[in-house]
Amino acid sequence: MAQHWWGTHELEPGQTGRWQIGSGSLWLQRGHDELKVAALQGTDGLAETLDIQCPGASPSPPEDHALARYVVLGSPKDVRLDPKLSDRAVVARPEFPFLVPSGATGRVFLSTPIWVGIHCGAWLCEHPLFRPSDTWFGPSTMSGSLCYASRSNLRRELSSVPVRPHRAITAVTIRNSHPEPLELLRLRLPVPNLSLFVDSAGSFWTEDLVLEHTAERDVARVGIGQGPPAGRIDARLVTGPRQPQGPENAVVRVFNSFFS
Amino acid sequence: MGEDLWMSLLELLTPERLGTGARALATGVAGLILSRLLPRMLERTALKAGGRDVAVLIKRIVRYAVLALFTAMVLTELGFDLSVLLGAAGVLTVALGFASQTSASNVISGLFLIFERPFATGDWIRIGTTSGEVIGIDLLSVKLRTAENLFVRVPNEAVMKAEITNISRFPIRRLDLPISIAYREDVARVRDLLLAMVDAHPLVLDEPRPLCRFVGFGASGVDLMLAIWTTREQFLGLKDELGGLVKQCLDGAGVEIPFPHVTVYAGSESDPMRIKLIDQG
């Protein structure tokens, strides 16, 4: 039985459950061989609401929710909600202009929204609890990649990062071995290559990242740590990466002029 | 009489002639088989080298070349003197050349289009006033399917001479929406309202940043241009939605969108002219 919004929840045929997680909402109703799923993507990525009614929620789907029905295989007695990281990279900007002098190391923190995957006998679907805005990350409008824009900025102090049950925190260490100072204008977090961990307090984390800017190359290489983040050794793995890390995913270009 | 005919036929079909016929037949069959196998063998290489359009072109050229070669071999085997045929073909070529200048130009233009690749099959392009999806790039013409599901054939020569806009080449597009607001409105306030509205829309790209530019002092109001970026897949849907969102946003903030109007003054110090409607019915 789940102690959090995620995990396994008992939901027998005829029963209904509702999860209000942040500003996003999920409503599930079990039929004999089907599961009705009504989901609402939130508009406030930093809302703190957490309310679970399972079972015992209203038998009618809430208004403004997108409704879908899924055939359920077998006769499972429960539903599992799996937290997952976003399906695209996330681009974040520092709260204030951020300069890393040559030879120095800096650390920033960022939280990204979580998706919820629904499993009932088999994997059914996934929904974002908060759907971030699209953004483009690339050297020009002709080439690049479609990413999500983070509404929460890169923060220098972990204490200033909003901790929410529907967001995962990532720590990024920036090492500048280049002779020139590094001005961090924006950072593209390769979220699909990251794993999701949860600590004993129920907070979500990803692996630590290390961004190295050296004199040998124009691009800054991002290294993904192995295992739980430093300082959260007790965190356990919840979900693996959506995509395995490839050589091209490990490289992030840091732009000092953008669309000039 | 039947027996005479049969005897004549037997005399005609000497062992040497039968051998010649068999060799010609074998050559012809080998040519037909090779004209089918060879293009298929080259297809994968051609696809990697230049894509589907180049592959189709190369397959056709190889097939016709193999058929022409084996036809010449069969005719030679059967004893025909090809030099006579080539001479006649030369005269015919000159005559055909004059008659088919346009077709030849289309073929040459088609080759240039395939190798230059301003667009590929599946792209959405605009040539002149015609917009459509490219469904084929052939030797003589480009075939388009319009949004109304109409078939349009554009000769390659015309395509080479025209300005082509490839609408689907790049993954993101900018959408410009001209907006006019009343002269009494605060431009900075309206700009902030519009930018906040598009900033909240998940399909409007955060970067490149949306812009709300001052365009000019129009006849009926201040002209602005709201420029936002979105993916090419979302472009049409957002274009349809954005107008309504802008109106809703401005109406909600009490901002006037003026309709075209003209105010007439007789002079700077005079009162506006009175107009009285007289019912002449």
Side-chain angles (χ1 to χ4, degrees), chain A residues 91 93 131-137 140-143 146 149-151 186 258-259, chain B residues 169-172 198-209 229-231 234:
Chain A
V91 177
R93 285 180 277 189
R131 200 248 193 237
S133 185
D134 289 346
T135 191
W136 187 250
F137 187 85
S140 72
T141 55
M142 293 185 289
S143 64
L146 188 65
S150 174
R151 292 290 161 167
R186 57 188 59 77
F258 205 77
F259 302 135
Chain B
R169 171 63 70 95
F170 300 126
I172 59 174
V198 295
D199 205 37
H201 198 298
L203 298 181
V204 172
L205 299 183
D206 221 51
E207 279 178 327
R209 296 293 299 158
W229 288 81
T230 187
T231 59
Q234 301 292 344

Side-chain angles (χ1 to χ4, degrees), chain A residues 117-249:
Chain A
I118 300 168
H119 187 284
C120 185
W123 171 261
L124 297 179
C125 60
E126 65 177 41
H127 292 278
L129 292 169
F130 168 71
R131 200 248 193 237
S133 185
D134 289 346
T135 191
W136 187 250
F137 187 85
S140 72
T141 55
M142 293 185 289
S143 64
S145 60
L146 188 65
C147 305
Y148 290 123
S150 174
R151 292 290 161 167
S152 80
N153 297 321
L154 296 170
R155 307 289 175 101
R156 290 281 289 129
E157 302 293 331
L158 179 58
S159 55
S160 59
V161 177
V163 179
R164 302 286 184 269
H166 50 87
R167 297 186 75 88
I169 300 172
T170 305
V172 183
T173 302
I174 303 163
R175 290 189 195 130
N176 185 16
S177 310
H178 197 279
E180 298 292 324
L182 173 66
E183 185 183 6
L184 191 66
L185 297 172
R186 57 188 59 77
L187 177 67
R188 177 182 174 273
L189 224 64
V191 177
N193 303 125
L194 303 180
S195 305
L196 189 62
F197 297 86
V198 65
D199 63 18
S200 53
S203 298
F204 289 110
W205 297 83
T206 72
E207 298 98 322
D208 286 342
L209 298 188
V210 176
L211 192 148
E212 281 204 69
H213 187 45
T214 62
E216 284 80 36
R217 57 183 82 233
D218 288 335
V219 297
R221 180 169 284 277
V222 171
I224 299 175
Q226 300 295 317
R232 293 288 183 276
I233 306 298
D234 61 325
R236 63 179 178 85
L237 179 68
V238 175
T239 318
R242 286 178 185 262
Q243 297 164 13
Q245 183 186 352
E248 64 282 355
N249 292 331

